[in-house]
Each structure stands twice: as C-alpha cells, then as structure tokens.
Amino acid sequence: MQERKPRFTSLSGLGINRVYTRDDLKDWLPENDLGAPGEFPYTRGVYPTMYRGRLWTMRQFAGFGSADDTNRRFKYLLQHGQNGLSVAFDMPTLMGIDADDSRAHGEVGRCGVAISSLADMDRLFEDIPLDQVTTSMTINGPAAVIFAMYLAVAEKRSMSVERLGGTLQNDILKEYIAQKEWLFPPEPSLRLITDTIAYCAKQVPKWHPVSISGYHIREAGSNAVQELAFTLYDGLTYVEAAVKAGLTVDSFVPQLSFFFNVHNDFFEEIAKFRAARRLWAREMERRYHPKDPRSLQLRCHAQTAGCSLTAQQPMNNVVRTTLQALAAVLGGTQSLHTNSMDETLALPSEEAVKVALRTQQLIAQESEVTNCVDPLGGSYYVEALTNRLEAEALDYFRKLDALGGMVKAIERGYPQREILDASQRYQREVERKERIVVGVSDYQEQESRPIPILKVGPEVEREQVARLSDLRKSRDPFKMTGAVEALQEAASCGENVMPYLIEAVKAKATLGEICAALKEVFGTYREPVVL
Amino acid sequence: MTVAATPLRVLIGKVGLDGHDRGVKLIARALRDAGMEVIYTGLHQTPEQVASTAIQEDVDAIGLSILSGAHNTLFRRVLELLKEQQAEDIVVFGGGIIPDEDVPTLKAAGVRALFRPGVPMNEIVDFVKGLRS
C-alpha cells in the first residue's frame, strides 16, 4: 500500500524508517550503550529506582508584577501541591537595570517579577521557609547579584546557607546563542560564572550554580539535535573554564544541572534525554576521568515547549503540553514545568496554571507510567534514535572544536545561524503544509472564544519606582559606595566577587547600580548581526 | 502602470528589553526574499533609536517585534517620535504577544497592522507589498 508521504522525518529532519528491527542496532551493545539505571553510561536514568523511589519535582515557573504579587502566587502553587519554586523575573531585572531606569519604562513587572534590591527579594520570599523549599531562579546576566540577594535574605533570617537548595540558571553562553540577555562580554561573563561555581562548591553545597540550558536554544528555533549538541558543548565549556581556574572536577561538577525543552516529536524527545545522559557521561569520563560518579550523571529539569503552543484554540495547548510532559517523564527528567494554555497570550492566569500543574499530577498518579524505569529501553526505534541523536551531536562537537570552541563560534555567529536556518526550514514546512499545526495550518475555526488572561497594570511600575526612591533615601550613601568600590576592586583583580556582592546588596546598592559598576570593569558586548 | 523604480525599504526592529528574535529574523528574511530592502536594527533598541534610524534610512515602513508585554508603551512612543519629526508617513506595523483587548487601542493610536502568533509569513509580506499600491 502506498504511504501518505514520500518521506517521513522527525521534527529535526532525521529520516525515519517504516519499522525498526535488530538490523538497525548492529553496533549497539546493551552492556556498553544501555547499562542499568543508575549506572554508566546512564542511558536509562541517573538513579536505580527513578520514579519508583521519588517522583520528579513539579516546579512551575512563576513571576509577575511586584514581589508581593509573586509571593502570593508562590503560596497558591505550594498550597496546590507544587514542591519547588521557580522565579520568573521581569525584563529590567533580567537585563540588570532598575525599575526607575528610563529603559525599563513599560516593562516593569510585565513578564516576571520586578526585583531591584535586597528588600524586594526579602518580600518575594516572605513567610516561605527557604530551608524547606528548593528555589530555581531563571536569571543569567546578573545571576551572581540576584544569588547574592538570596543568600543575604537567608543570612538575615539566621539560616545557614549550607541548607539552601535550588538552582541558578546562570548560563550565559546560551544567552549569546539564543535568548540574548547578556550584560558583559563572554570572557568576563564566564569568569563570573566560575566565581559562583567556586563559591557554591565551598559554601552552598546543595545549590546548583549553573543550569545549562537547551530550553531557550530550542525556543529560538533550533531542532532537537542542535539543542542537544550546543547545550552539552556549553556544559563542557563551563567545566573547562572552572578546571582552568583551579577547581577539581569532582568538587563542582556534581552541582551542575541541565535544562531541556520538550517539544512535539514524542520519540525524538525521549531519545534526546537518553542521548544527553549517555553523551555527558562519556565525554566527562573521556576528558576528566572523575572519581565521583555524580560527575558523570546528567540531572535535568525540563519544560514543555512554549513555542509549540498556539494562540488559536488555546484549549488544544493542554493536550500538546500533556504529550510533551509525558515524553519528559519517559525520558527520565528530574524536574518538570508544564506550560499553561494561555501562554501565547499573556502570563498564565491562576486557573490555567492549575490545569498545567494537574497535568503533571495526572501523569504521576493516574497513568502508571512511573511503575517501571526507562520503559522504552530496548525498543529498536528508541535505541536507534538515541544512537542517531548522539552521533549527530558529536558531529556538531567536531565543528565547534574546529571553530576554536563555543566563545569563538558565537563571535562568528555560527550557532546563531544554524538555529536561524533550522527555524526557517520549520516555518517553510508549516507553510507548505508538510507539517500540520492543528488549529493554525489546518482544522481552523473562525470563531474564537476568548479565555480570561492575567493583566499587569501600570501601578506596578509606579509603586516599584517609589520603593526604589525610598530605598535610596534610607541608606547610608558612604557605606553603599564603599561596598560597590570594593566590589569593583575585586572584579578587576580577579578575586571571587561573591562575598563582595553580598556586602554590596546588604549595603542597599541596587541591582542596576551593581551591574553598572561591573560594566565599568568588564565592558559591554555587541552581538554580530546574523540574518 | 509602471513598476516602482526602487524597492520598498523596511526597518525591522526589536524595541524594548526582550531578546526573543526568532520571529523578527524570519520576517526580515521573508521580506528580503520578497525583494525588499530590509534594515534590521538588532536587539534592545530604544524608540528613539528606531525613529531616528527610520528617518535617516528613509524607510517606507517600520515593523516592530515585542514579546515582553511593553507594547502599549513602546509602540506609542515610536509613533509620537515620528510625529514630532514630521515622519508620520512612515507606516508602523508590528507583532508579538499582544492580547486581543490591546489591539483596537494600538490601532487607534496609529499602528497600521498587528500580526500575532500563527499568522502565515506571506500575509505579512503581502501587507508590506500592499503599502505601495
């Protein structure tokens, strides 16, 4: 019988056979390529028992308006059974500028929470016991400053930072590649990241100082292969920078974590998680021979693909998200965010975010997929795809090596162009109807039924500007200036800046003031325009 | 009817602080492939930079992409600046995450067209081409 299409391809464009058999796994050896769960090369998962031991962490990314607004949303999510917090910051905070900066006008509290000072951070976590939750903070350029604020809040509450658990995204390479929120040039940015890694290795042992992220690479238009390759290569770049700074691999690599997107191609996504674990284990072993097995284990957070959602027929997004979330679970993620159905329209409403969280609870409690570790292991198709993704990623590794590493490649616009090309290919496939987007390129409806969406009003900006003005009046200007000057001194002579950042935020220097002071030392960056 | 002597000139820009440039780059490429002269500003532009580049480059239209929620402030500011500099003949259009209820007010303020998620690329290309007929 004739098939529906001349050629079947994965979402990344990999050719897919009609059926897979033993012949597709000729060089595949279960003892080398699969192993047991919790054992090298970790294809089947990083823990022997996986979800039979402990379910993944359900961690919904949230933040909007003022610190008080977001504090209320955090409490709402905790009440409904979420077990980890994840902070979304607004654009001015992500770019290291204060709410009263002219560039922030119109942006304050819009797509995340506005945090300009230690006082804001304190209000964000009011009545939340920092030693009983884990907190993920999605911030990159000014990550070290925001982390210093979090540590200072703990200190103010007389809590030992040794007990703090959580994650700082702090992945600047993918900013240059994809998300485009940087403050400084790549080299000083890498050094700041190394400072946070070194500080956590000594002082905050339960913290993940970097979450090496493919999520944004994928959202910027890459395919699964590029996401896998660029993310793992970024990870190896951070490891090498820290090793060059004198750290031993086993002192910090177990604290690194990863963050992947999970998109529509169900089996390709599952294979991507499996290939990522195997590739990381093999590369770390080959390059550094670590003694601690945790240095070989890729642990990750996953988020369903925001870019796959549609503004048309938004209820369909619940179904898309469910399939993606299931792929992340079958892929063996440690933590998961499920997107809300209204996210192509605005930040999620309370109702929408609850359905998203319930989706995870349904998978965890009703589907029974958690009964067995790596249930698709040994499937001819999934193993062949896992092999293929690993091989394709290694191909990119060789290209990046030839360009002189990731920083050089970024400066030449290489990963940026690869992503843009992939994104254009996908767009064309959709427009030619080679790929169908339900409700958009097919099965359209004229009628649109509006769903309630969250609004952030202009009063958020006015109030935040007023709070900053009060803060500036209330502080000791000499103490503040002294702390910022000491920070600049440490930054220019190569000392670890973390203790100085903590002192500066305690002296009530604002996020914008600290980042401006660091720019004086480190300079700024202009990206090569890739079109 | 004669064919226009010069191709349409379009400034495509990202105003505001967000760095989501996938859509804006695809649109820049699509307009370029359709034979237009595209000036892409790069990221993190202020309304002042956009208006002054548009005037210096003598463009026919400005297409702005905003996904940070600051569209109400930023579109209006660009339109104001163009008006102040007697450049209201430059057509302003845009795209991004813009809720339904903001569309009529932005259009009333002078934004000619808004393209939101899921719009086919050729619809945007046809709109820009149509500016000269």
Side-chain angles (χ1 to χ4, degrees):
Chain A
M1 191 177 143
Q2 203 183 347
E3 295 185 336
R4 286 184 293 110
K5 295 192 258 186
R7 190 165 174 263
F8 286 77
T9 56
S10 74
L11 199 50
S12 294
L14 306 177
I16 302 295
N17 301 343
R18 182 184 300 174
V19 70
Y20 285 78
T21 65
R22 194 182 296 178
D23 292 343
D24 297 291
L25 296 176
K26 280 205 188 88
D27 304 321
W28 181 80
L29 290 171
E31 55 276 30
N32 288 346
D33 298 309
L34 194 56
E39 283 174 26
F40 190 86
Y42 304 102
T43 317
R44 311 204 74 176
V46 285
Y47 303 117
T49 57
M50 287 302 290
Y51 306 134
R52 290 169 67 107
R54 186 180 155 273
L55 291 170
W56 63 92
T57 304
M58 298 179 192
R59 193 188 293 283
Q60 298 292 94
F61 186 42
F64 62 96
S66 67
D68 307 302
D69 295 328
T70 301
N71 178 267
R72 276 192 293 277
R73 176 64 68 90
F74 282 167
K75 288 176 182 161
Y76 176 87
L77 287 165
L78 291 170
Q79 271 163 19
H80 284 86
Q82 170 169 290
N83 36 26
L85 296 175
S86 174
V87 190
F89 296 97
D90 71 355
M91 283 310 312
T93 309
L94 293 172
M95 296 302 291
I97 62 184
D98 290 334
D100 55 359
D101 187 301
S102 67
R103 289 168 294 173
H105 185 44
E107 310 249 19
V108 178
R110 291 276 168 189
C111 60
V113 59
I115 300 293
S116 312
S117 70
L118 177 58
D120 293 337
M121 189 64 103
D122 201 7
R123 283 169 31 249
L124 180 63
F125 290 99
E126 200 170 80
D127 302 323
I128 295 174
L130 298 184
D131 52 350
Q132 287 166 41
V133 291
T134 56
T135 304
S136 167
M137 292 191 280
T138 297
I139 192 149
N140 298 280
V145 190
I146 290 291
F147 186 42
M149 289 180 185
Y150 193 80
L151 296 176
V153 169
E155 190 184 310
K156 190 177 157 224
R157 297 182 189 176
S158 311
M159 203 173 281
S160 156
V161 296
E162 266 179 37
R163 294 168 62 196
L164 293 182
T167 306
L168 196 61
Q169 193 163 82
N170 203 20
D171 169 8
I172 204 68
L173 291 169
K174 67 94 174 52
E175 294 299 327
Y176 302 114
I177 297 171
Q179 190 171 236
K180 316 293 174 81
E181 290 156 11
W182 57 78
L183 302 186
F184 318 113
E187 291 300 341
S189 296
L190 273 176
R191 173 264 169 110
L192 267 181
I193 289 168
T194 305
D195 280 1
T196 53
I197 290 175
Y199 190 81
C200 285
K202 271 209 177 119
Q203 317 274 348
V204 205
K206 285 162 71 183
W207 197 271
H208 300 293
V210 189
S211 165
I212 307 149
S213 305
Y215 185 81
H216 321 79
I217 293 174
R218 194 66 180 277
E219 291 289 302
S222 88
N223 59 35
V225 170
Q226 293 165 340
E227 179 194 355
L228 173 65
F230 297 158
T231 308
L232 265 65
Y233 201 90
D234 285 350
L236 294 168
T237 307
Y238 294 128
V239 172
E240 190 55 30
V243 167
K244 275 200 181 132
L247 276 75
T248 58
V249 165
D250 287 332
S251 74
F252 71 96
V253 176
Q255 280 172 280
L256 300 180
S257 64
F258 285 80
F259 172 24
F260 292 106
N261 197 293
V262 53
H263 210 292
N264 285 337
D265 189 327
F266 192 73
F267 291 109
E268 185 173 64
E269 290 302 306
I270 295 167
K272 181 183 78 187
F273 285 88
R274 303 173 84 248
R277 283 191 295 270
R278 190 162 78 198
L279 189 50
W280 182 253
R282 285 178 170 167
E283 286 296 310
M284 288 304 296
E285 176 59 36
R286 187 175 70 77
R287 290 170 192 230
Y288 303 105
H289 315 295
K291 291 192 183 64
D292 186 341
R294 292 177 310 150
S295 298
L296 303 167
Q297 297 165 352
L298 178 147
R299 281 167 300 270
C300 69
H301 172 67
Q303 177 169 342
T304 58
C307 62
S308 72
L309 303 184
T310 65
Q312 294 76 8
Q313 306 176 32
M315 292 292 203
N316 296 348
N317 293 332
V318 177
V319 186
R320 286 190 181 96
T321 299
T322 305
L323 288 165
Q324 295 165 1
L326 183 58
V329 169
L330 296 177
T333 192
Q334 277 59 62
S335 142
L336 181 62
H337 166 107
T338 33
N339 289 322
S340 300
M341 63 173 144
D342 52 357
E343 291 192 49
T344 57
L345 307 166
L347 294 187
S349 70
E350 232 169 55
E351 248 334 282
V353 81
K354 191 159 76 184
V355 174
L357 176 60
R358 294 282 183 258
T359 303
Q360 294 198 40
Q361 291 162 341
L362 255 146
I363 293 173
Q365 307 296 351
E366 296 188 11
S367 75
E368 308 294 349
V369 294
T370 53
N371 290 343
C372 168
V373 178
D374 189 34
L376 294 167
S379 143
Y380 295 126
Y381 178 37
V382 171
E383 296 299 350
L385 265 180
T386 305
N387 292 348
R388 181 76 193 274
L389 282 164
E390 185 184 22
E392 296 276 338
L394 281 169
D395 220 35
Y396 266 120
F397 279 22
R398 281 185 285 273
K399 287 178 190 152
L400 290 160
D401 284 343
L403 287 167
M406 191 50 102
V407 171
K408 292 265 168 21
I410 286 167
E411 286 166 353
R412 292 175 57 170
Y414 173 73
Q416 298 96 309
R417 193 169 296 108
E418 286 293 299
I419 294 169
L420 181 55
D421 289 346
S423 152
Q424 191 176 31
R425 270 196 301 277
Y426 173 76
Q427 184 70 25
R428 285 189 176 146
E429 287 168 358
V430 170
E431 303 213 342
R432 284 194 218 112
K433 292 209 173 190
E434 289 164 13
R435 293 200 197 273
I436 300 297
V437 182
V438 173
V440 178
S441 65
D442 217 335
Y443 316 105
Q444 296 110 321
E445 287 170 20
Q446 288 309 314
E447 290 282 298
S448 73
R449 202 155 20 111
I451 55 172
I453 60 168
L454 179 87
K455 295 291 286 180
V456 177
E459 69 284 354
V460 169
E461 183 164 326
R462 278 199 303 274
E463 288 164 15
Q464 184 67 4
V465 168
R467 269 192 291 270
L468 265 171
S469 162
D470 291 345
L471 175 95
R472 292 204 169 95
K473 278 180 218 146
S474 76
R475 68 190 176 188
D476 175 346
F478 295 104
K479 199 174 156 204
M480 190 281 286
T481 325
V484 171
E485 282 170 5
L487 166 68
Q488 285 184 309
E489 178 67 28
S492 48
C493 72
E495 222 179 311
N496 192 317
V497 294
M498 279 311 301
Y500 296 91
L501 284 170
I502 295 169
E503 287 311 307
V505 301
K506 277 161 55 183
K508 299 188 182 177
T510 64
L511 174 70
E513 289 162 347
I514 292 172
C515 291
L518 288 174
K519 277 184 186 169
E520 284 177 23
V521 179
F522 293 147
T524 55
Y525 177 72
R526 223 183 138 68
E527 72 162 344
V529 173
V530 173
L531 203 62
Chain B
M1 194 175 140
T2 53
V3 177
T6 52
L8 271 161
R9 286 169 68 76
V10 190
L11 181 142
I12 294 293
K14 282 285 300 172
V15 277
L17 299 176
D18 79 281
H20 303 96
D21 60 0
R22 173 161 82 146
V24 78
K25 285 185 164 182
L26 286 179
I27 285 157
R29 276 191 174 182
L31 295 175
R32 193 180 63 188
D33 293 348
M36 294 169 212
E37 280 183 13
V38 175
I39 297 134
Y40 173 57
T41 62
L43 294 167
H44 310 142
Q45 298 287 301
T46 62
E48 287 75 10
Q49 287 168 317
V50 166
S52 95
T53 312
I55 292 166
Q56 277 166 26
E57 295 279 348
D58 192 25
V59 299
D60 300 286
I62 300 175
L64 297 177
S65 164
I66 306 173
L67 288 94
S68 69
H71 45 272
N72 286 326
T73 309
L74 295 170
F75 274 115
R76 264 174 236 268
R77 183 74 190 130
V78 170
L79 288 161
E80 262 170 35
L81 289 161
L82 291 175
K83 198 169 178 188
E84 277 168 23
Q85 296 170 68
Q86 280 91 45
E88 301 121 291
D89 58 312
I90 299 177
V91 171
V92 175
F93 66 101
I97 305 286
I98 297 162
D100 285 341
E101 57 198 275
D102 292 340
V103 172
T105 43
L106 285 171
K107 286 201 171 162
V111 179
R112 184 77 66 89
L114 286 167
F115 299 99
R116 293 184 298 154
V119 170
M121 205 55 82
N122 56 17
E123 200 175 312
I124 303 172
V125 173
D126 289 346
F127 162 80
V128 181
K129 276 184 183 163
L131 296 176
R132 199 178 261 173
S133 55

